[in-house]
Amino acid sequence: LGLMGAAGAAAGTGLLTTQAALAQDKKFTIALVPGLTTDAFYITMHRGAQAAADALGQDLLFQGASEWNVTLQVPVLDAVIARNPAAILIAPTDKVQLVEPLKKAHAAGITVVCVDTFIGTGVFQTGSGDADFPISYVASDNVLGGVMAARALAKSIGEKGKVYVSNVKPGISTTDQREEGFKKEMANHPNIEILETQFNDDDANKAAAQVQAVIGRVPDLAGVFGANLFSASGTANGVKQAGKQGVVKIAAFDAPQSVVQELKDGTFEIVIAQHPAEIGYFGFVSAFAHLTGNPVPTLIGTGFTVMTKDNIDDPDIAKYLYTG
Ligand code: T6T
């Protein structure tokens, strides 16, 4: 009876219990390939993935390129595939150009999870298209993030004036979606004019030079949306060098430690912090769940924390600053 009871209980609780027990005996290597290694966003994501690896008793391999660049990321991915991990978590640096390189991983039987950025449409496991093989996409809602930035910037410039988006380069799912959300929301603010987007190749120095050039051409520039860490921090530096700090308002995406000062001195109106540790943690857990036979959601959305000069000293807000 006792034995039957145990069997019945196992059957009753289903697949999850049974396979979780089996999984304890398995050791997997799961790789994380970031967009680039020297970015506080991915360093924090790495920390989250490591926390999950430690909790599950699994191995994490972290390997990436030092710059945001497809031609640097693909050889790193090839080298990771050659090490034959059970799964790869990857932030693809281009939604089209990483499809073929990732197909190789899929063909080799390696589970693929997209973290932060996606390939194709980001809608996976539908049985359609040739880029829907990743089992899950774990990320912020980047369109919503762009909408939030637009609302904050519109308010801070008094609902009128000229603004532009400082962005990385076209073809990156996250930053494309942020710009899309920003422009969609700005359509509801008729007295705000959106100037041409400035693309900086993830180079803060370029973003700084660009804002100075725009201020030169458009002296009444009212605001900028810095669509990622380097776009925002570069724009902040450029605005300071132009002596327009607090005059040209900035809505910043991403939260390295430096944003504390930039919020306090009025360079940034608002900072939209992502939760990269959560992305790493749940990316890792998703891959592990899949490898141990458990179903995984095809989309896992992580949240935002909005930072302002009024809340940044609150430890419950400051804990979302990235660890560099
Ligand atoms: O904004 C993040 C990330 O979400 C984006 O895909 C690329 O840029 C960052 O890594 C920040 O630099």
Side-chain angles (χ1 to χ4, degrees), residues 47-68:
R47 219 175 278 268
Q50 189 63 57
D54 293 347
L56 295 167
Q58 304 296 314
D59 288 332
L60 171 67
L61 168 69
F62 182 75
Q63 213 166 313
S66 58
E67 285 172 33
W68 188 281

PDB file of all heavy atoms in Angstrom, residues 47-68:
ATOM      1  N   ARG A  47      25.579  37.312 -13.864  1.00  0.00           N
ATOM      2  CA  ARG A  47      25.412  37.053 -12.430  1.00  0.00           C
ATOM      3  C   ARG A  47      24.102  36.292 -12.150  1.00  0.00           C
ATOM      4  O   ARG A  47      24.065  35.362 -11.349  1.00  0.00           O
ATOM      5  CB  ARG A  47      25.381  38.400 -11.697  1.00  0.00           C
ATOM      6  CG  ARG A  47      26.081  38.429 -10.403  1.00  0.00           C
ATOM      7  CD  ARG A  47      26.064  39.858  -9.885  1.00  0.00           C
ATOM      8  NE  ARG A  47      27.109  40.665 -10.490  1.00  0.00           N
ATOM      9  CZ  ARG A  47      28.319  40.820  -9.969  1.00  0.00           C
ATOM     10  NH1 ARG A  47      28.619  40.257  -8.818  1.00  0.00           N
ATOM     11  NH2 ARG A  47      29.225  41.552 -10.568  1.00  0.00           N
ATOM     12  N   GLY A  48      23.047  36.696 -12.805  1.00  0.00           N
ATOM     13  CA  GLY A  48      21.748  36.026 -12.628  1.00  0.00           C
ATOM     14  C   GLY A  48      21.790  34.591 -13.122  1.00  0.00           C
ATOM     15  O   GLY A  48      21.266  33.672 -12.474  1.00  0.00           O
ATOM     16  N   ALA A  49      22.435  34.389 -14.274  1.00  0.00           N
ATOM     17  CA  ALA A  49      22.541  33.028 -14.826  1.00  0.00           C
ATOM     18  C   ALA A  49      23.392  32.153 -13.898  1.00  0.00           C
ATOM     19  O   ALA A  49      23.082  30.975 -13.668  1.00  0.00           O
ATOM     20  CB  ALA A  49      23.149  33.082 -16.230  1.00  0.00           C
ATOM     21  N   GLN A  50      24.449  32.753 -13.339  1.00  0.00           N
ATOM     22  CA  GLN A  50      25.323  31.991 -12.423  1.00  0.00           C
ATOM     23  C   GLN A  50      24.555  31.600 -11.160  1.00  0.00           C
ATOM     24  O   GLN A  50      24.713  30.479 -10.645  1.00  0.00           O
ATOM     25  CB  GLN A  50      26.557  32.824 -12.058  1.00  0.00           C
ATOM     26  CG  GLN A  50      27.628  32.052 -11.298  1.00  0.00           C
ATOM     27  CD  GLN A  50      28.207  30.899 -12.136  1.00  0.00           C
ATOM     28  OE1 GLN A  50      28.706  31.122 -13.232  1.00  0.00           O
ATOM     29  NE2 GLN A  50      28.107  29.667 -11.634  1.00  0.00           N
ATOM     30  N   ALA A  51      23.708  32.494 -10.674  1.00  0.00           N
ATOM     31  CA  ALA A  51      22.899  32.186  -9.484  1.00  0.00           C
ATOM     32  C   ALA A  51      21.994  30.982  -9.759  1.00  0.00           C
ATOM     33  O   ALA A  51      21.838  30.094  -8.905  1.00  0.00           O
ATOM     34  CB  ALA A  51      22.057  33.400  -9.080  1.00  0.00           C
ATOM     35  N   ALA A  52      21.419  30.940 -10.957  1.00  0.00           N
ATOM     36  CA  ALA A  52      20.561  29.794 -11.304  1.00  0.00           C
ATOM     37  C   ALA A  52      21.389  28.526 -11.443  1.00  0.00           C
ATOM     38  O   ALA A  52      20.987  27.447 -10.969  1.00  0.00           O
ATOM     39  CB  ALA A  52      19.805  30.090 -12.601  1.00  0.00           C
ATOM     40  N   ALA A  53      22.555  28.642 -12.075  1.00  0.00           N
ATOM     41  CA  ALA A  53      23.429  27.467 -12.248  1.00  0.00           C
ATOM     42  C   ALA A  53      23.811  26.901 -10.882  1.00  0.00           C
ATOM     43  O   ALA A  53      23.761  25.675 -10.664  1.00  0.00           O
ATOM     44  CB  ALA A  53      24.682  27.860 -13.043  1.00  0.00           C
ATOM     45  N   ASP A  54      24.166  27.777  -9.971  1.00  0.00           N
ATOM     46  CA  ASP A  54      24.559  27.327  -8.620  1.00  0.00           C
ATOM     47  C   ASP A  54      23.371  26.671  -7.912  1.00  0.00           C
ATOM     48  O   ASP A  54      23.518  25.628  -7.275  1.00  0.00           O
ATOM     49  CB  ASP A  54      25.063  28.514  -7.783  1.00  0.00           C
ATOM     50  CG  ASP A  54      26.375  29.080  -8.325  1.00  0.00           C
ATOM     51  OD1 ASP A  54      27.006  28.414  -9.173  1.00  0.00           O
ATOM     52  OD2 ASP A  54      26.746  30.199  -7.919  1.00  0.00           O
ATOM     53  N   ALA A  55      22.208  27.281  -8.023  1.00  0.00           N
ATOM     54  CA  ALA A  55      21.026  26.740  -7.337  1.00  0.00           C
ATOM     55  C   ALA A  55      20.664  25.357  -7.875  1.00  0.00           C
ATOM     56  O   ALA A  55      20.185  24.501  -7.124  1.00  0.00           O
ATOM     57  CB  ALA A  55      19.846  27.703  -7.520  1.00  0.00           C
ATOM     58  N   LEU A  56      20.908  25.157  -9.172  1.00  0.00           N
ATOM     59  CA  LEU A  56      20.519  23.884  -9.791  1.00  0.00           C
ATOM     60  C   LEU A  56      21.676  22.885  -9.854  1.00  0.00           C
ATOM     61  O   LEU A  56      21.501  21.761 -10.330  1.00  0.00           O
ATOM     62  CB  LEU A  56      19.992  24.145 -11.220  1.00  0.00           C
ATOM     63  CG  LEU A  56      18.699  24.973 -11.308  1.00  0.00           C
ATOM     64  CD1 LEU A  56      18.450  25.448 -12.733  1.00  0.00           C
ATOM     65  CD2 LEU A  56      17.508  24.149 -10.812  1.00  0.00           C
ATOM     66  N   GLY A  57      22.855  23.317  -9.414  1.00  0.00           N
ATOM     67  CA  GLY A  57      24.032  22.430  -9.459  1.00  0.00           C
ATOM     68  C   GLY A  57      24.488  22.131 -10.879  1.00  0.00           C
ATOM     69  O   GLY A  57      24.915  21.014 -11.188  1.00  0.00           O
ATOM     70  N   GLN A  58      24.389  23.133 -11.749  1.00  0.00           N
ATOM     71  CA  GLN A  58      24.753  22.941 -13.158  1.00  0.00           C
ATOM     72  C   GLN A  58      25.920  23.857 -13.520  1.00  0.00           C
ATOM     73  O   GLN A  58      26.267  24.760 -12.758  1.00  0.00           O
ATOM     74  CB  GLN A  58      23.542  23.251 -14.045  1.00  0.00           C
ATOM     75  CG  GLN A  58      22.310  22.426 -13.702  1.00  0.00           C
ATOM     76  CD  GLN A  58      22.515  20.933 -13.925  1.00  0.00           C
ATOM     77  OE1 GLN A  58      23.045  20.519 -14.955  1.00  0.00           O
ATOM     78  NE2 GLN A  58      22.107  20.122 -12.957  1.00  0.00           N
ATOM     79  N   ASP A  59      26.479  23.629 -14.720  1.00  0.00           N
ATOM     80  CA  ASP A  59      27.634  24.432 -15.138  1.00  0.00           C
ATOM     81  C   ASP A  59      27.212  25.525 -16.123  1.00  0.00           C
ATOM     82  O   ASP A  59      26.439  25.270 -17.045  1.00  0.00           O
ATOM     83  CB  ASP A  59      28.685  23.539 -15.800  1.00  0.00           C
ATOM     84  CG  ASP A  59      29.383  22.670 -14.773  1.00  0.00           C
ATOM     85  OD1 ASP A  59      29.469  23.100 -13.598  1.00  0.00           O
ATOM     86  OD2 ASP A  59      29.803  21.562 -15.135  1.00  0.00           O
ATOM     87  N   LEU A  60      27.777  26.709 -15.926  1.00  0.00           N
ATOM     88  CA  LEU A  60      27.544  27.833 -16.848  1.00  0.00           C
ATOM     89  C   LEU A  60      28.852  28.168 -17.541  1.00  0.00           C
ATOM     90  O   LEU A  60      29.898  28.267 -16.902  1.00  0.00           O
ATOM     91  CB  LEU A  60      27.052  29.056 -16.064  1.00  0.00           C
ATOM     92  CG  LEU A  60      26.964  30.369 -16.852  1.00  0.00           C
ATOM     93  CD1 LEU A  60      25.877  30.306 -17.929  1.00  0.00           C
ATOM     94  CD2 LEU A  60      26.695  31.550 -15.921  1.00  0.00           C
ATOM     95  N   LEU A  61      28.766  28.332 -18.853  1.00  0.00           N
ATOM     96  CA  LEU A  61      29.915  28.773 -19.643  1.00  0.00           C
ATOM     97  C   LEU A  61      29.558  30.141 -20.204  1.00  0.00           C
ATOM     98  O   LEU A  61      28.532  30.286 -20.871  1.00  0.00           O
ATOM     99  CB  LEU A  61      30.127  27.755 -20.776  1.00  0.00           C
ATOM    100  CG  LEU A  61      31.085  28.105 -21.899  1.00  0.00           C
ATOM    101  CD1 LEU A  61      32.517  28.116 -21.382  1.00  0.00           C
ATOM    102  CD2 LEU A  61      30.943  27.073 -23.029  1.00  0.00           C
ATOM    103  N   PHE A  62      30.361  31.162 -19.899  1.00  0.00           N
ATOM    104  CA  PHE A  62      30.075  32.528 -20.369  1.00  0.00           C
ATOM    105  C   PHE A  62      31.139  32.917 -21.374  1.00  0.00           C
ATOM    106  O   PHE A  62      32.326  32.956 -21.047  1.00  0.00           O
ATOM    107  CB  PHE A  62      30.097  33.485 -19.170  1.00  0.00           C
ATOM    108  CG  PHE A  62      29.780  34.926 -19.513  1.00  0.00           C
ATOM    109  CD1 PHE A  62      28.486  35.324 -19.789  1.00  0.00           C
ATOM    110  CD2 PHE A  62      30.786  35.890 -19.527  1.00  0.00           C
ATOM    111  CE1 PHE A  62      28.179  36.653 -20.086  1.00  0.00           C
ATOM    112  CE2 PHE A  62      30.494  37.222 -19.823  1.00  0.00           C
ATOM    113  CZ  PHE A  62      29.185  37.600 -20.093  1.00  0.00           C
ATOM    114  N   GLN A  63      30.728  33.152 -22.604  1.00  0.00           N
ATOM    115  CA  GLN A  63      31.707  33.501 -23.634  1.00  0.00           C
ATOM    116  C   GLN A  63      31.083  34.493 -24.602  1.00  0.00           C
ATOM    117  O   GLN A  63      29.982  34.253 -25.111  1.00  0.00           O
ATOM    118  CB  GLN A  63      32.106  32.223 -24.382  1.00  0.00           C
ATOM    119  CG  GLN A  63      33.540  32.232 -24.847  1.00  0.00           C
ATOM    120  CD  GLN A  63      33.993  30.844 -25.276  1.00  0.00           C
ATOM    121  OE1 GLN A  63      33.764  29.853 -24.580  1.00  0.00           O
ATOM    122  NE2 GLN A  63      34.626  30.780 -26.429  1.00  0.00           N
ATOM    123  N   GLY A  64      31.783  35.594 -24.847  1.00  0.00           N
ATOM    124  CA  GLY A  64      31.214  36.596 -25.751  1.00  0.00           C
ATOM    125  C   GLY A  64      32.298  37.430 -26.400  1.00  0.00           C
ATOM    126  O   GLY A  64      33.491  37.272 -26.110  1.00  0.00           O
ATOM    127  N   ALA A  65      31.859  38.329 -27.262  1.00  0.00           N
ATOM    128  CA  ALA A  65      32.786  39.241 -27.938  1.00  0.00           C
ATOM    129  C   ALA A  65      32.888  40.525 -27.110  1.00  0.00           C
ATOM    130  O   ALA A  65      32.030  40.807 -26.285  1.00  0.00           O
ATOM    131  CB  ALA A  65      32.264  39.555 -29.338  1.00  0.00           C
ATOM    132  N   SER A  66      33.940  41.295 -27.382  1.00  0.00           N
ATOM    133  CA  SER A  66      34.150  42.501 -26.575  1.00  0.00           C
ATOM    134  C   SER A  66      33.400  43.708 -27.127  1.00  0.00           C
ATOM    135  O   SER A  66      33.371  44.761 -26.512  1.00  0.00           O
ATOM    136  CB  SER A  66      35.637  42.816 -26.496  1.00  0.00           C
ATOM    137  OG  SER A  66      36.116  42.980 -27.811  1.00  0.00           O
ATOM    138  N   GLU A  67      32.801  43.547 -28.306  1.00  0.00           N
ATOM    139  CA  GLU A  67      32.019  44.644 -28.894  1.00  0.00           C
ATOM    140  C   GLU A  67      30.718  44.111 -29.461  1.00  0.00           C
ATOM    141  O   GLU A  67      30.631  42.925 -29.770  1.00  0.00           O
ATOM    142  CB  GLU A  67      32.772  45.251 -30.092  1.00  0.00           C
ATOM    143  CG  GLU A  67      33.930  46.111 -29.754  1.00  0.00           C
ATOM    144  CD  GLU A  67      34.697  46.478 -31.024  1.00  0.00           C
ATOM    145  OE1 GLU A  67      34.087  46.618 -32.091  1.00  0.00           O
ATOM    146  OE2 GLU A  67      35.927  46.591 -30.912  1.00  0.00           O
ATOM    147  N   TRP A  68      29.752  45.017 -29.654  1.00  0.00           N
ATOM    148  CA  TRP A  68      28.486  44.636 -30.291  1.00  0.00           C
ATOM    149  C   TRP A  68      28.735  44.553 -31.794  1.00  0.00           C
ATOM    150  O   TRP A  68      28.771  45.573 -32.488  1.00  0.00           O
ATOM    151  CB  TRP A  68      27.405  45.693 -30.000  1.00  0.00           C
ATOM    152  CG  TRP A  68      26.079  45.246 -30.466  1.00  0.00           C
ATOM    153  CD1 TRP A  68      25.601  45.260 -31.749  1.00  0.00           C
ATOM    154  CD2 TRP A  68      25.056  44.659 -29.662  1.00  0.00           C
ATOM    155  NE1 TRP A  68      24.359  44.720 -31.784  1.00  0.00           N
ATOM    156  CE2 TRP A  68      23.986  44.346 -30.531  1.00  0.00           C
ATOM    157  CE3 TRP A  68      24.934  44.363 -28.304  1.00  0.00           C
ATOM    158  CZ2 TRP A  68      22.806  43.766 -30.072  1.00  0.00           C
ATOM    159  CZ3 TRP A  68      23.768  43.792 -27.855  1.00  0.00           C
ATOM    160  CH2 TRP A  68      22.715  43.488 -28.735  1.00  0.00           C
TER     161      TRP A  68
END
